[in-house]
Amino acid sequence: LASSLDDLWSYRWHQVFRSIWIAIPYKPVCRMIGRIMANNNTDAAGKHRTRTIATTAASLAVFFVSGVMHEYLVFCGAGWDAYKNRFMGQECAFFVVHGLGIFIEKAVARAMQAKRKDSWTWRLFAHGWVILFSFLTFPLFINGFAYWNLWHANPFTVLSPFFVDKL
């Protein structure tokens, strides 16, 4: 069970695509923001601020691109009319809100660092936060996929696996 949104998205979800997300949206955005801001920041504090802004923008770009890709899937599955009237923007909202949630939880963790201990109460709070945040935002993600009954596309069942039927 993930102890933070960062843990969920960085280490527990879609590790197969991790290198693609780093290579395509993350690195180009990070480099672009770094180059734009590099001219204005020559001292150590300015360089740190530039690096922080660049990594934040690049991380949010990954979530946004993922949202756009999921928007496309919902559009293809639901059709233009249903997509336009019911689902447009929900996938992007889900992913961008999760990206922002990571930065909010990091800020809260930094602010509470002195008070924070690795106790069972903190772990319970952390797991509760991930569950609650996910529960509240999950409808944004699932609505478009539920519309076209995606769960019925699975050819495997417990009693009659697909590969046994083909023998």
Side-chain angles (χ1 to χ4, degrees):
L1 185 61
S3 60
S4 68
L5 293 173
D6 185 43
D7 179 36
L8 172 69
W9 291 110
S10 296
Y11 304 106
R12 298 182 185 270
W13 198 262
H14 281 315
Q15 291 303 298
V16 173
F17 299 121
R18 183 177 173 87
S19 62
I20 295 169
W21 292 127
I22 291 171
I24 297 173
Y26 184 86
K27 283 185 178 178
V29 170
C30 196
R31 284 188 195 123
M32 181 183 68
I33 300 292
R35 287 179 183 155
I36 290 169
M37 295 184 67
N39 298 334
N40 301 330
N41 299 310
T42 55
D43 61 332
K47 288 179 181 178
H48 177 72
R49 185 174 44 255
T50 296
R51 189 170 46 251
T52 301
I53 292 170
T55 57
T56 300
S59 297
L60 287 174
V62 170
F63 280 96
F64 179 73
V65 170
S66 182
V68 169
M69 290 175 63
H70 284 82
E71 288 282 339
Y72 178 71
L73 292 173
V74 170
F75 165 71
C76 289
W80 172 247
D81 288 335
Y83 174 75
K84 179 180 68 169
N85 294 326
R86 292 183 177 179
F87 310 119
M88 187 180 285
Q90 289 185 5
E91 300 300 318
C92 280
F94 171 81
F95 284 99
V96 170
V97 165
H98 272 254
L100 293 172
I102 289 173
F103 296 106
I104 290 168
E105 77 182 12
K106 284 183 177 184
V108 169
R110 267 193 306 274
M112 296 181 66
Q113 193 64 34
K115 300 174 187 175
R116 183 177 144 193
K117 304 276 188 231
D118 286 326
S119 65
W120 69 270
T121 54
W122 178 257
R123 286 193 303 272
L124 182 66
F125 173 76
H127 291 304
W129 153 254
V130 173
I131 292 168
L132 179 65
F133 192 87
S134 298
F135 177 77
L136 293 174
T137 59
F138 194 63
L140 292 170
F141 176 78
I142 199 65
N143 285 341
F145 294 106
Y147 177 79
W148 45 293
N149 297 323
L150 183 63
W151 55 83
H152 294 297
N154 186 358
F156 297 99
T157 62
V158 176
L159 300 176
S160 176
F162 178 76
F163 64 90
V164 172
D165 290 343
K166 298 297 180 188
L167 293 176

